[in-house]
Amino acid sequence: FGTAKCATTSIFAALTQHPLLVPSKPKELNFWVSQQQREEPETYYMPLFPPFPHDPRKALYGDGTILAISCPGTAQRVRALYPHIKLIASFRHPVHRAVSHYRMCERFNRAPPREPMPPIDEAVQQQLAHLRACDRRMPHAPPHVRLRECYLDTLRLCNRHDKEPRAPDCDQFVAMGLYPATTREWRDAFPPQSFFIISSEEYEEDAVAVLLGAYVFLGVGPSSPANVRNAATHHWNRAAPQRGNATTASEADAYARARILLNEYYLESGVIDANNGYRTGFEEWLN
């Protein structure tokens, strides 16, 4: 659970090294966000997990679907069946996250029949134009309402089709960094004690401390300090250099322009502050 390109894969892989945590296979089941699989979860959902070799009542089952945080209605569907679920969400500075997401889309869309991505600065400008046009349509709405509505206005992830010329999230990687908007539904559906929030920056700095905190939150306790260190060491993928995949001076300039545009937009949207910190929507609520 969390936003794409926020170390969710690394954190999920490390956490589920614990003997009492049963990971979904694959990591992202997309059960709760699929139009076809919203009924009878006990019949169709739990069989998607591998069997626990010991007493299943002692196990915790982990679903690493990142789209769950984005799709409208998902939080309420989960709460209706699992009101006491424990949710671990990871986030990352939205500018770095957006650049990383663009790089993934660029790789993904290189081969036919996919449609290649435009240069990063052009892609950012296109998405910002859409978001700002949406914002201008609601001049009298409160800022948090405009942010949420414009985020939803871009959302196509929940009705995705593999035959589309480009992966849907590649046309909304800017909007996916509007964390206070993406988390709103979950904060409305669950109490603060249901969440454990991780920043990928903290995880990179001290993965062991983050994992230990997550185990305490889950109520399982570390299997052993050595196992935690081993999991943290082997399942953390270091972030790529922040200049991006630029191989020429013009590409480097495009990445630089894109970062300036992203920084300006997230600053004016209240997602980042003057000190370059970022908000997820959980800060004051959890404190």
Side-chain angles (χ1 to χ4, degrees):
F1 172 74
T3 304
K5 313 312 295 179
C6 293
T8 54
T9 299
S10 296
I11 293 169
F12 184 81
L15 278 174
T16 52
Q17 296 302 298
H18 194 288
L20 292 180
L21 298 183
V22 181
S24 58
K25 294 186 182 298
K27 169 203 163 208
E28 299 184 41
L29 298 176
N30 290 322
F31 179 90
W32 299 100
V33 301
S34 168
Q35 298 286 354
Q36 290 77 35
Q37 295 179 319
R38 290 178 179 172
E39 299 180 358
E40 302 183 54
E42 292 298 334
T43 301
Y44 296 104
Y45 182 58
M46 291 310 296
L48 297 174
F49 292 87
F52 186 62
H54 308 294
D55 185 349
R57 294 171 297 178
K58 296 180 179 179
L60 292 178
Y61 295 85
D63 181 344
T65 300
I66 57 174
L67 292 187
I69 200 171
S70 303
C71 297
T74 302
Q76 292 295 341
R77 285 191 291 274
V78 173
R79 187 178 185 277
L81 283 158
Y82 301 110
H84 304 297
I85 194 172
K86 291 182 179 290
L87 300 161
I88 297 177
S90 63
F91 299 92
R92 182 183 184 184
H93 191 287
V95 173
H96 304 327
R97 196 217 69 81
V99 171
S100 180
H101 201 145
Y102 172 85
R103 290 200 303 266
M104 178 183 71
C105 289
E106 189 180 41
R107 293 191 299 271
F108 180 77
N109 291 297
R110 280 176 185 163
R114 299 290 182 181
E115 181 180 304
M117 293 289 290
I120 186 171
D121 54 338
E122 293 181 20
V124 169
Q125 287 175 330
Q126 291 170 8
Q127 294 183 34
L128 290 181
H130 183 93
L131 287 164
R132 287 187 167 123
C134 171
D135 189 76
R136 287 194 294 271
R137 293 197 295 268
M138 298 177 286
H140 304 298
H144 74 275
V145 172
R146 297 201 306 270
L147 198 69
R148 176 67 177 171
E149 290 303 312
C150 291
Y151 166 71
L152 293 175
D153 187 59
T154 70
L155 198 62
R156 295 170 56 241
L157 277 170
C158 307
N159 297 293
R160 63 192 307 169
H161 302 284
D162 291 337
K163 294 183 180 179
E164 293 187 25
R166 185 183 296 155
D169 55 325
C170 293
D171 291 326
Q172 58 197 59
F173 63 81
V174 176
M176 291 175 70
L178 298 174
Y179 302 141
T182 66
T183 62
R184 182 80 185 206
E185 182 179 298
W186 291 88
R187 289 181 282 126
D188 289 343
F190 291 95
Q193 60 268 26
S194 297
F195 296 92
F196 184 79
I197 306 303
I198 299 172
S199 78
S200 65
E201 293 86 358
E202 290 177 350
Y203 187 66
E204 180 176 9
E205 182 176 343
D206 193 345
V208 171
V210 171
L211 292 175
L212 288 173
Y215 288 142
V216 170
F217 167 74
L218 294 171
V220 295
S223 53
S224 76
N227 287 349
V228 175
R229 285 193 297 272
N230 182 65
T233 300
H234 287 88
H235 294 283
W236 169 241
N237 296 320
R238 297 288 175 181
Q242 289 302 318
R243 66 187 284 270
N245 284 344
T247 57
T248 67
S250 62
E251 288 177 341
D253 288 343
Y255 273 93
R257 287 191 297 271
R259 286 195 183 85
I260 292 171
L261 292 169
L262 289 166
N263 193 78
E264 290 174 347
Y265 176 69
Y266 290 132
L267 186 61
E268 69 186 50
S269 301
V271 180
I272 63 175
D273 57 36
N275 296 319
N276 207 33
Y278 62 90
R279 295 178 56 245
T280 64
F282 287 102
E283 292 79 14
E284 299 86 357
W285 186 68
L286 287 174
N287 293 328

